[in-house]
Amino acid sequence: MEEANDHRSSSTAGRPFLSGFCAAALRRKPLGAHGSAAATGEGLVRQLGAVELVLLGIGASIGAGIFVVTGTVARDAGPGVTISFVVAGAACVLNALCYAELASRFPAVVGGAYLYTYAALNEITAFLVFTQLMVDYHISAASIARSLASYFIQFLELIPFLKGQIPSWIGHGEEFFGGVISINILAPILLIILTAILCCGVKESSAVNTFMTTLKIIIVIVVVFAGVFEVDVSNWSPFMPNGFKSVVTGATVVFFAYVGFDAVANSAEEAKRPQRDLPIGILGSLLACVLLYVAVCLVITGMVPYTLLGEDAPLAEAFAAKGLKFVTVLISIGAVAGLTTTLLIGLYVQSRLYLGLGRDGLLPSVFAKVHPTRHTPLQSQIWVGCLAAVLAGLFNVSMLSHILSVGTLTGYSVVSACVITLRWNDKGTSRRSLGSMSIWQEGVLCLVIVALCGFIVGLCYRFNYAIAFMVVAFVIAVAASFALQFRQVYVDPPGFSCPGVPLLPIISVFFNMVLFAQLHEEAWYRFVILGLIALGFYAGYGQYNALPSSSEHSTIGYHGIPSEAP
């Protein structure tokens, strides 16, 4: 460790700040060092098989949303909400295929989107992706914990002598100082319990997730079969009462009900056969979620006219209206199981991301420690649990929900771009670069153009701008796509291969940015402000402490990944 520190200090001493910052920011990651860490016993233990990884992805994706979001979107899209989930699922399949290729192609270590970005693009972009993802995870964990606490109190109040006797500050939250502070005692307790389970080891936490996820899958299947016999097909007409645009808008909302397969990518170091099992876990969990969501949508809109669906608990209300109150109890249990697994896996993923940053020196080394007997990143896990507990115990973080999903869309877009950049083989082309740009830089510029055009198209759609602007942006994106197709030479990777490269990842980037444009404006402000804060932290700490990736060590020596530097 002292040698590494000396190397870092010697490599940064005596150089101008700006040139030193640029040299550090543009470094790319050699991946051999992490493999050695795992091999010497300092890494995590491989205990997750393909089935556990599929259940991990399902547990991360399906929470209470399957019992709430389905009905909420159906109020606008009608029975066409089914198409909304199919469209959103198809978009997520594009992202999942990109994740699956990189998960199969990279050394099996923690990091996910951050690791892929570090190797494919550069250090500063990887750090910015990490910060955007972590804010999503932190706020989501605290918000889910408060929802879980509220559900738990509702269960307790089913006992007659407890109904109305439990103070609101215990589980529902009680606001002080005009809503600035919202005290909730139970949410931090639940977070501490789940953090303790995760600290015990991945085998124990995986067992809890397997049980809870299996339980909620069984409940969803039972609910669907119970509802099939109550379906009135006349309720499906008209299928899209408010037109196709409401269905597309619904797709942008339900898109985030699928997020979670990146949790599988972040479990790479604990997968038994990562190059085979990770793609199975990513794609298998996503396809299972699509089937469950579509089945629930068809049942709920067939049981009750979409105009009569409630917004808080539409699925439970639909079954109650049919006199099937025993099913509503199952739905409540399923919602609690869903919240629990989503929260458990969210905490799990956060600790693994901190572990990756600690190993790379972009965060203090305390985050890089793995317990010698439990084989868990104990310090990272405790930090994540404590931070979530403070947020959940003191603040009504659900008010911040409209600034979420920025990190998720950022991570998905960058991962799709990474698939393209890592397929390039600059040495295999005789094409001349344009001006002073290299072929690699030209390709990155084209990817940026595609992303910006997707954002512009999304803005035009959202604010009903003149269709001419949308057409111009789309044509420019197509031109950049042609440049990516015909100006670059692509190599086929070993292992799982994402089909249709570069077209499929380009579509993924474009559609992700269209969705980015649909987010609340405050989410855009958060993206910019957090990016500037992260840039400042990197400039003051990260660039000086990151493990050096100098040009002579910058090749990616694994599975034949192209090593051309920009």
Side-chain angles (χ1 to χ4, degrees):
M1 183 62 71
E2 289 181 4
E3 257 182 52
N5 290 335
D6 291 341
H7 193 176
R8 283 193 291 263
S9 60
S10 62
S11 65
T12 56
R15 67 185 185 187
F17 173 80
L18 186 58
S19 61
F21 176 84
C22 292
L26 296 178
R27 292 183 296 214
R28 292 201 286 166
K29 182 173 181 57
L31 301 180
H34 274 183
S36 62
T40 57
E42 298 174 8
L44 307 174
V45 177
R46 302 196 181 281
Q47 302 184 60
L48 301 178
V51 174
E52 288 88 354
L53 291 171
V54 169
L55 291 174
L56 187 78
I58 295 173
S61 299
I62 295 184
I66 197 170
F67 307 108
V68 178
V69 174
T70 49
T72 303
V73 177
R75 291 294 297 273
D76 295 323
V81 65
T82 307
I83 306 300
S84 297
F85 272 99
V86 171
V87 171
C92 283
V93 166
L94 301 181
N95 292 297
L97 287 169
C98 295
Y99 263 94
E101 175 175 318
L102 297 182
S104 170
R105 190 173 183 177
F106 273 65
V109 292
V110 296
Y114 154 77
L115 174 65
Y116 308 150
T117 308
Y118 204 163
L121 298 176
N122 52 57
E123 189 170 284
I124 185 63
T125 306
F127 188 71
L128 292 173
V129 166
F130 164 79
T131 54
Q132 296 291 348
L133 282 172
M134 290 315 301
V135 169
D136 272 14
Y137 276 122
H138 286 320
I139 296 176
S140 294
S143 179
I144 292 169
R146 289 180 75 99
S147 297
L148 184 58
S150 181
Y151 267 104
F152 190 78
I153 293 300
Q154 289 177 21
F155 271 115
L156 292 179
E157 289 182 337
L158 293 176
I159 303 173
F161 69 87
L162 288 179
K163 187 172 181 62
Q165 301 301 313
I166 302 176
S168 59
W169 53 267
I170 292 182
H172 293 298
E174 185 168 341
E175 295 185 350
F176 298 92
F177 306 110
V180 176
I181 300 295
S182 179
I183 301 297
N184 189 310
I185 300 299
L186 184 57
I189 294 174
L190 295 173
L191 282 163
I192 290 170
I193 293 172
L194 292 178
T195 299
I197 293 172
L198 288 164
C199 288
C200 288
V202 68
K203 187 175 182 180
E204 291 78 5
S205 57
S206 177
V208 173
N209 175 67
T210 298
F211 171 76
M212 299 293 281
T213 302
T214 303
L215 175 64
K216 72 180 176 185
I217 291 174
I218 292 173
I219 288 175
V220 171
I221 293 173
V222 170
V223 166
V224 168
F225 274 99
V228 163
F229 298 100
E230 302 294 334
V231 167
D232 181 356
V233 293
S234 64
N235 290 328
W236 290 337
S237 181
F239 197 73
M240 292 184 286
N242 296 317
F244 186 70
K245 185 171 183 178
S246 65
V247 172
V248 174
T249 302
T252 65
V253 175
V254 304
F255 176 87
F256 307 107
Y258 289 108
V259 300
F261 53 81
D262 59 327
V264 180
N266 279 287
S267 64
E269 198 168 316
E270 289 155 296
K272 291 178 181 177
R273 290 175 289 183
Q275 268 64 50
R276 189 204 75 159
D277 291 347
L278 289 175
I280 293 175
I282 291 169
L283 295 172
S285 61
L286 178 59
L287 293 176
C289 291
V290 172
L291 292 175
L292 291 174
Y293 278 128
V294 168
V296 169
C297 289
L298 288 174
V299 167
I300 190 175
T301 55
M303 289 177 62
V304 178
Y306 75 95
T307 54
L308 301 180
L309 288 173
E311 294 189 359
D312 295 328
L315 197 57
E317 291 174 13
F319 278 93
K322 294 291 184 178
L324 301 174
K325 293 188 177 180
F326 75 96
V327 180
T328 65
V329 176
L330 285 179
I331 291 171
S332 298
I333 296 172
V336 170
L339 285 169
T340 302
T341 56
T342 304
L343 182 56
L344 183 77
I345 296 167
L347 295 172
Y348 165 88
V349 172
Q350 290 176 63
S351 67
R352 271 56 181 177
L353 282 170
Y354 274 106
L355 174 63
L357 271 287
R359 284 173 171 174
D360 293 337
L362 290 168
L363 290 178
S365 60
V366 66
F367 293 111
K369 297 183 183 298
V370 175
H371 194 275
T373 57
R374 296 291 181 184
H375 298 288
T376 58
L378 208 60
Q379 287 87 342
S380 296
Q381 197 68 72
I382 292 172
W383 160 257
V384 166
C386 290
L387 182 58
V390 170
L391 290 174
L394 296 179
F395 304 103
N396 183 11
V397 287
S398 61
M399 295 173 61
L400 301 177
S401 61
H402 54 273
I403 68 168
L404 288 177
S405 303
V406 173
T408 303
L409 283 172
T410 301
Y412 285 2
S413 301
V414 174
V415 166
S416 298
C418 288
V419 169
I420 296 177
T421 60
L422 288 174
R423 291 277 198 104
W424 290 338
N425 182 7
D426 287 356
K427 292 179 180 178
T429 178
S430 59
R431 297 181 178 89
R432 293 186 176 183
S433 57
L434 300 176
S436 60
M437 286 192 300
S438 67
I439 292 293
W440 194 94
Q441 291 169 333
E442 177 192 327
V444 171
L445 177 62
C446 288
L447 284 170
V448 172
I449 290 172
V450 169
L452 288 176
C453 289
F455 184 72
I456 292 171
V457 168
L459 287 179
C460 293
Y461 173 82
R462 175 177 176 177
F463 296 110
N464 294 315
Y465 292 154
I467 195 170
F469 293 113
M470 187 182 298
V471 171
V472 169
F474 185 78
V475 169
I476 294 174
V478 170
S481 300
F482 269 98
L484 287 169
Q485 175 70 57
F486 299 110
R487 292 276 300 169
Q488 302 290 338
V489 174
Y490 295 87
V491 294
D492 293 326
F496 181 87
S497 176
C498 175
V501 175
L503 181 60
L504 189 147
I506 288 172
I507 295 173
S508 178
V509 171
F510 187 86
F511 189 75
N512 288 338
M513 295 309 296
V514 170
L515 292 176
F516 194 99
Q518 311 308 309
L519 298 177
H520 196 282
E521 285 132 349
E522 290 182 18
W524 304 341
Y525 302 150
R526 168 223 140 157
F527 178 81
V528 174
I529 294 171
L530 182 61
L532 293 174
I533 293 172
L535 200 62
F537 180 87
Y538 177 80
Y541 180 87
Q543 66 163 321
Y544 299 112
N545 292 277
L547 297 175
S549 301
S550 56
S551 58
E552 63 269 21
H553 299 101
S554 62
T555 58
I556 305 169
Y558 189 83
H559 280 226
I561 295 176
S563 59
E564 289 73 22

